[in-house]
Amino acid sequence: MDWSGKTALVRVDFNVPMLNGQVADDTRIRAALPTLRYLREHGAKVVLLSHLGRPDGKPADKFSLRPVADRAAELLGAPCTFATDCVGPAAEDAVSATGAGEVVLLENVRFHAEEEANDSGFAGQLAGLGDVFVNDAFGTAHRAHASTAGLAEFMPAVAGLLMAKEIVVIGTALEDPKRPFVAIVGGAKVSSKLAVLENLIARVDRLLIGGGMANTFLKAQGREVGQSLLEPDLVEAATNLLALGNKIVLPTDVVVTTDLKGSAPPRTCSADQVGPEEMIVDIGPASVGVFRIEIGHAGTVLWNGPMGVFEDPRFAAGTLAVAHAMADSSATTIVGGGESVQAVEQAGLADRLTHVSTGGGASLEFIEGKVLPGVAALKGDCS
Ligand code: ADP
Ligand code: MG
């Protein structure tokens, strides 16, 4: 786009964690900076739209984006003014007062019920504030709301730099991966990720399964898992996936405990020696060794979901080992998913991966092979 003299209406994902009225984690604001810098340098007036939390369609002080504007200004090293509403006179006046290369953040779009209803009148009002819709909110791209999809009906719509990176990196892994393509899927339940497993199994060379969901697969192989998290209704689905070939790799050894909330040291055992009172809480060292070798040989590694109850340091070794193996690998390495991203960040390894996705739910739906409304809305309008 030629941005000179234009107003960019930029949907960002500034849905940041707040604590006592302050921004508790500014990762998502930082992730939007390349797009904001680019637009400023190219002479655009930058009008930012975002949601924060779930205010259910009415204004609520605790969901105000005002503190976020202050943090954005600090990170940008330039003023970021704030408007007390995202439509109407407050928004119009704030946009008029903003010059080329300057930035204004409008109040929470979810203070209006029309946002989540994708109301076209509301989208039209938002569209009146700018010339071009820039969607940089990958984290909200799986929702068809007025500011994530509806706007594209009223004005030219393009992807921001963060959105583009998410789509290109994850999309290339799914459609045209450098092989061998290894996926690692963990987390609590098969049920929340069955569609992910079904989409990935057709595309990958290896599918490494850990975390609570591995238990249902171990059960499908006839192993006893004691008190472990198990989804009996999904044993059949796991059996069907295992029958598709030899791509699935399960843990051969596991860490078990009878003391999930306490501090007793855990026990490591073979995956077929879990006692009736024990629960599986991590993958074991032999499994880590196998997973590490698979990651080491890969051309592309896509990871979603921790290998164990990593929130407790007693059960974090498997998850941390996978994070380190990915950081050490020369493959294209991608991690997506709320808790797995948190584990990578806690370990200080985010900078050593190719891509740490900013979208938990959105990246999951993307990996499921679903069309994301916020992405689909951009198609055809980019010329
Ligand atoms: P992500 O957010 O990365 O997609 P999920 O939300 O699917 O991951 O799952 C994360 C949760 O899974 C973590 O809170 C973790 O404690 C839990 N978990 C991992 N392994 C186990 C296990 N063996 N038993 C019970 N819960 C587990
Ligand atoms: Mg999660």
Side-chain angles (χ1 to χ4, degrees), residues 189-201:
K189 293 179 173 177
V190 179
S191 53
S192 62
K193 294 186 183 169
L194 188 58
V196 167
L197 295 170
E198 286 173 345
N199 190 37
L200 285 177
I201 193 111

Side-chain angles (χ1 to χ4, degrees), residues 93 260 319:
D93 292 350
L260 186 63
T319 301

Side-chain angles (χ1 to χ4, degrees), residues 186-188 193 211-212 229 280-281 304-311 337-340:
K193 294 186 183 169
L229 183 66
I280 300 172
V281 285
N304 173 286
M307 298 291 97
V309 185
F310 76 102
E311 293 90 344
E339 271 83 18
S340 15

Side-chain angles (χ1 to χ4, degrees), residues 141-367:
H142 56 316
R143 307 279 180 233
H145 294 167
S147 71
T148 63
L151 272 177
E153 315 240 326
F154 292 88
M155 59 209 305
V158 299
L161 298 175
L162 172 64
M163 175 72 95
K165 187 181 180 215
E166 294 274 8
I167 298 167
V168 170
V169 178
I170 302 176
T172 303
L174 293 173
E175 298 301 333
D176 186 23
K178 199 166 149 235
R179 292 188 183 272
F181 179 16
V182 175
I184 310 160
V185 183
K189 293 179 173 177
V190 179
S191 53
S192 62
K193 294 186 183 169
L194 188 58
V196 167
L197 295 170
E198 286 173 345
N199 190 37
L200 285 177
I201 193 111
R203 299 173 187 272
V204 300
D205 299 294
R206 279 274 183 277
L207 179 54
L208 317 182
I209 297 181
M213 70 161 62
N215 306 338
T216 299
F217 284 85
L218 293 172
K219 183 76 181 177
Q221 289 184 330
R223 296 189 162 89
E224 289 311 323
V225 297
Q227 301 301 308
S228 304
L229 183 66
L230 175 71
E231 293 177 286
D233 295 353
L234 286 148
V235 171
E236 191 184 336
T239 307
N240 294 340
L241 283 166
L242 287 165
L244 288 175
N246 55 2
K247 289 180 178 177
I248 294 180
V249 181
L250 293 174
T252 52
D253 65 342
V254 289
V255 174
V256 296
T257 186
T258 52
D259 185 31
L260 186 63
K261 297 277 177 236
S263 56
R267 180 176 93 89
T268 298
C269 67
S270 158
D272 40 27
Q273 283 167 357
V274 178
E277 301 304 322
E278 291 175 320
M279 67 189 315
I280 300 172
V281 285
D282 197 4
I283 60 173
S287 310
V288 163
V290 172
F291 284 21
R292 195 182 277 134
I293 289 169
E294 294 288 353
I295 293 166
H297 290 158
T300 305
V301 186
L302 177 63
W303 179 28
N304 173 286
M307 298 291 97
V309 185
F310 76 102
E311 293 90 344
D312 185 325
R314 293 177 297 160
F315 316 136
T319 301
L320 291 176
V322 164
H324 278 278
M326 287 183 69
D328 293 341
S329 156
S330 56
T332 299
T333 47
I334 304 165
V335 55
E339 271 83 18
S340 15
V341 166
Q342 197 188 318
V344 166
E345 279 167 356
Q346 274 171 17
L349 297 171
D351 292 347
R352 293 175 57 199
L353 303 190
T354 308
H355 185 61
V356 178
S357 179
T358 55
S363 63
L364 211 59
E365 291 197 17
F366 196 5
I367 298 168

